[in-house]
Amino acid sequence: MFRSEYADVPPVELPIHEAVLGRAAEFGDAPALIDGTNGMTLTYAQVDQFHRRIAAALAEAGLRKGDVLALHSPNTVAFPTAFYAATRAGATVTTVHPLSTAEEFGKQLRDSAARWIVTVSPLLETARRAAELAGGIQEIFVCDQAPGHRSLIDMLASTAPEPQIDIDPATDVAALPYSSGTTGIPKGVMLTHRQIATNLAQLEPAIPTGPGDSILAVLPFFHIYGLTALMNLPLKLGAAVVVLPRFDLETFLAAIQNHRITGLFVAPPIILALAKHPAVAEYDLSSLRYIVSSAAPLDAQLAAACSQRLGLPPVGQAYGMTELSPGTHVVPLDAMHQAPPGTVGKLIAGTEMRIVSLDDPDKDLGVGEAGEILIRGPQVMKGYLGRPDATAAMIDTDGWLHTGDVGHVHADGWLFVVDRVKELIKYKGFQVAPAELEALLLTHPGIADAAVIGAYNDEGNEVPHAYVVRQPAADLSEGEVMMYVAERVAPYKRVRQVTFIDGVPRAASGKILRRELREHT
């Protein structure tokens, strides 16, 4: 068993809004959230006041403890305020990809039993359609303004009493992001207030930040990585969070320059842009002190090219998954020069790890031996919503979460992730479940069978590659297959490559032999 070299941290027995905003009065007029496109700024005092008023208005509207509120929005300065307002009012927040189709959003609403939606006016039609498909939605609120819908801005004027909710941090679910786990369709990951808040405390020693620091939030808040590294952690510690709704290279570089950004938490495609795009040379990025990459594997040579070009310490990596709240490993900011290239970091405080044999899961392996990574700690999820069997398959009776990733540990405690047991495709850091795309492909009348794997394109991104068996009389092209999927899923889930084959290789059990497809590629 491998243990963290950091001292254990006690469980944080606070609601997430208290754990994050508990020092808001101390930080007062310091900037908390800055719109990176127009400079609009909310101070810590304002975020604290605003989320309390919105919580009061939500409670007055009828939201009760245990309700689920769907937060459906790109990154805006209103997103954190809406999140903390909902949890203060006693709700569980299920975060929704802003590019979800109405059908995908509707499935999430039904599965989570959501009763409330907070969205933005450009996404309102999708939210309305999703609400119709799901049923049971009490009201749709907007962060900005839209005719016929109450706005969070208007709710700031609420004179209703602030709700006093008795929250049990150990058992009450604060966030319900959706993850595909190791395989299969997306499932609601139940993360309690204690699990999320404790994970912040576990990360603090490795990623010290605070007043005077500026973090650029371009990765989405709806994703657990963004929710933790770009929202909860910096706001807990008094840093300024500069918010961008999407990644556009010129806007991103201008924000670093104009807001004197000190730290970046990004995914590998952004590292690639920083390392190679000519526009980078046109901006003053001298305020940057560090870059951390996560959400997908990062090539060590690419990381080195990025840090050398920017004159920074080596790009650090972090490791985790939604089911782990999400963090378990990070390269500490003060050890970036000592970290071996390619490592995803060391165990954070209070976390245990085992590496077990792929052939014999009861056999523990030692330093330098590659096997499946198992994690135990206070950040392990409560479970999958309504799926006890899937939870039991992920977390064993001794509390070890089986990540489905293959890795080995360096003598000094550095972890290297070398492969994935799981079949999940990670397209630019977003999870794409092959089973979901396979089920969709099989609804096409011209497709007899299909399998989907991850394959790397010319830009080094893992993309969904579909292997399709045509019906005998079907005259089906690659473009038609890709268009059929594109019309029915969010852009990041689109099939990017298609190969027609005579039959999908399967084991006697019916399981798709993806290894044979990869060899075919």
Side-chain angles (χ1 to χ4, degrees), residues 26 108 125 256 272 298 314 464:
E26 174 189 335
Q108 185 169 335
E125 285 307 312
I256 297 173
L272 176 64
L298 175 65

Side-chain angles (χ1 to χ4, degrees), residues 476-509:
L476 197 60
S477 70
E478 295 175 22
E480 286 173 308
V481 172
M482 288 190 279
M483 182 60 69
Y484 183 79
V485 175
E487 289 173 348
R488 291 163 175 81
V489 300
Y492 71 96
K493 294 182 184 177
R494 291 176 181 172
V495 167
R496 310 280 168 163
Q497 299 172 2
V498 176
T499 300
F500 291 104
I501 55 177
D502 294 329
V504 173
R506 296 179 185 272
S509 64

Side-chain angles (χ1 to χ4, degrees), residues 267-273 276 293-300 302-303 420 425-430 454-464 496-497:
I270 296 178
I271 300 294
L272 176 64
K276 297 188 176 181
S293 176
S294 191
L298 175 65
D299 178 75
L302 176 60
R420 290 205 300 277
I425 300 163
K426 284 201 171 181
Y427 176 69
K428 296 186 176 180
F430 296 122
Y456 286 90
N457 64 13
D458 294 340
E459 298 173 353
N461 291 317
E462 190 180 23
V463 299
R496 310 280 168 163
Q497 299 172 2

Side-chain angles (χ1 to χ4, degrees), residues 15-174:
I16 189 61
H17 44 274
E18 294 290 354
V20 172
L21 298 177
R23 297 174 65 191
E26 174 189 335
F27 299 136
D29 291 333
L33 295 161
I34 301 169
D35 188 317
T37 63
N38 62 23
M40 187 185 78
T41 300
L42 297 181
T43 67
Y44 273 89
Q46 287 174 317
V47 171
D48 190 39
Q49 177 191 357
F50 291 175
H51 96 277
R52 292 173 185 272
R53 284 296 85 217
I54 296 168
L58 289 172
E60 187 178 37
L63 186 148
R64 296 292 177 260
K65 182 183 176 181
D67 283 358
V68 176
L69 179 144
L71 185 46
H72 172 236
S73 171
N75 286 9
T76 70
V77 295
F79 189 111
T81 307
F83 182 91
Y84 302 128
T87 60
R88 182 172 286 279
T92 294
V93 179
T94 189
T95 50
V96 183
H97 196 308
L99 297 181
S100 291
T101 64
E103 289 75 16
E104 291 168 324
F105 189 2
K107 285 180 185 177
Q108 185 169 335
L109 292 173
R110 274 196 307 275
D111 190 75
S112 64
R115 298 183 67 228
W116 312 88
I117 297 173
V118 173
T119 188
V120 292
S121 57
L123 302 179
L124 189 52
E125 285 307 312
T126 300
R128 284 174 176 158
R129 176 65 183 143
E132 290 173 5
L133 292 170
I137 299 299
Q138 296 290 108
E139 189 169 353
I140 301 175
F141 306 102
V142 292
C143 294
D144 44 0
Q145 300 281 354
H149 292 268
R150 278 198 278 181
S151 165
L152 266 57
I153 297 168
D154 299 332
M155 294 162 79
L156 296 176
S158 171
T159 57
E162 183 180 312
Q164 302 298 317
I165 307 297
D166 183 16
I167 292 173
D168 181 350
T171 60
D172 289 341
V173 177

Side-chain angles (χ1 to χ4, degrees), residues 249-294:
L249 183 60
E250 298 274 356
T251 306
F252 174 80
L253 296 170
I256 297 173
Q257 172 181 281
N258 297 338
H259 295 282
R260 307 301 294 161
I261 298 298
T262 56
L264 291 178
F265 294 85
V266 295
I270 296 178
I271 300 294
L272 176 64
L274 289 171
K276 297 188 176 181
H277 200 285
V280 172
E282 300 171 15
Y283 292 85
D284 176 8
L285 309 184
S286 60
S287 59
L288 285 176
R289 297 205 315 269
Y290 63 87
I291 302 176
V292 175
S293 176
S294 191

